[in-house]
Amino acid sequence: MKRTSRWRPVLGATALAIGALSACSDRPGEEEIRYAEDYGGHAPLAVVGYPSVGSLRMAQEIVWRTADGDTEALASFAAPGVVNSAPAKTAENWIAAFGKGARGQVTAEFYDEASKRQMVVLYFHDTGQIKELSLRSGMGGEDRDWYVYMDQPDMADATAVRPSIPKTPGARGSKSTS
């Protein structure tokens, strides 16, 4: 007499249901696929400090778009409704000034906590340049949670480094530079 398990039909149905649910919920969207391709196609970003998931992603994408020379995509990260914002011209300036450095090794230092805003300092190792970014979350946009202030239509403003910004990552322990 052949012995069969009474659990086999239940286990089979459970596995089928889990597989079907997984296929629906784990399928990456276009945004996730693009991000994964970008991540694999660019030099890794070194990190100092304590970014949030959103501020880290925004800093990475700013560096990637700068490295790629993609003015339109970089300008699309601009914080909405900011007085004196000039995203297209600021993006052009950032790409012209930091494009070469963004294609090499970059360290991003994240200052203070990141619940609503975070200052990030980018260190472009190949060129020795430094760029300060001001990121902001929750500004009511449809496509992302984090934005960057892009109000530097003058090249001198775009490349200026405040004296309080450390010359090397980690020099202040990721505490406020104000």
Side-chain angles (χ1 to χ4, degrees):
M1 174 174 191
K2 185 176 177 183
R3 189 171 188 146
T4 60
S5 170
R6 62 186 170 122
W7 296 105
R8 184 170 294 173
V10 173
L11 292 174
T14 303
L16 181 62
I18 290 171
L21 288 173
S22 295
C24 293
S25 63
D26 290 341
R27 184 170 295 147
E30 288 180 35
E31 180 70 18
E32 288 80 16
I33 291 170
R34 183 188 59 76
Y35 184 78
E37 289 172 350
D38 274 343
Y39 193 86
H42 293 88
L45 182 68
V47 175
V48 176
Y50 301 96
S52 70
V53 171
S55 65
L56 174 59
R57 184 174 180 152
M58 178 72 352
Q60 283 183 314
E61 292 202 51
I62 290 167
V63 172
W64 294 342
R65 298 296 78 81
T66 302
D68 296 342
D70 191 339
T71 305
E72 186 176 324
L74 183 57
S76 76
F77 300 146
V82 175
V83 177
N84 299 324
S85 185
K89 184 61 180 159
T90 299
E92 288 175 13
N93 287 341
W94 290 0
I95 289 168
F98 304 105
K100 180 180 179 186
R103 289 186 289 277
Q105 184 181 357
V106 180
T107 296
E109 182 160 12
F110 294 81
Y111 284 85
D112 301 321
E113 65 91 25
S115 61
K116 293 291 181 192
R117 63 185 75 225
Q118 193 160 37
M119 190 193 62
V120 180
V121 177
L122 301 175
Y123 295 89
F124 301 97
H125 298 279
D126 292 356
T127 61
Q129 295 172 293
I130 298 172
K131 175 66 187 146
E132 181 181 357
L133 303 173
S134 182
L135 304 182
R136 173 72 194 214
S137 73
M139 296 192 70
E142 301 169 7
D143 297 335
R144 67 182 53 86
D145 294 330
W146 283 82
Y147 299 88
V148 61
Y149 287 97
M150 298 189 79
D151 54 355
Q152 299 171 333
D154 181 63
M155 183 61 85
D157 290 338
T159 57
V161 180
R162 291 185 298 139
S164 61
I165 300 295
K167 303 299 179 222
T168 58
R172 282 195 185 223
S174 300
K175 303 287 185 216
S176 178
T177 62
S178 306

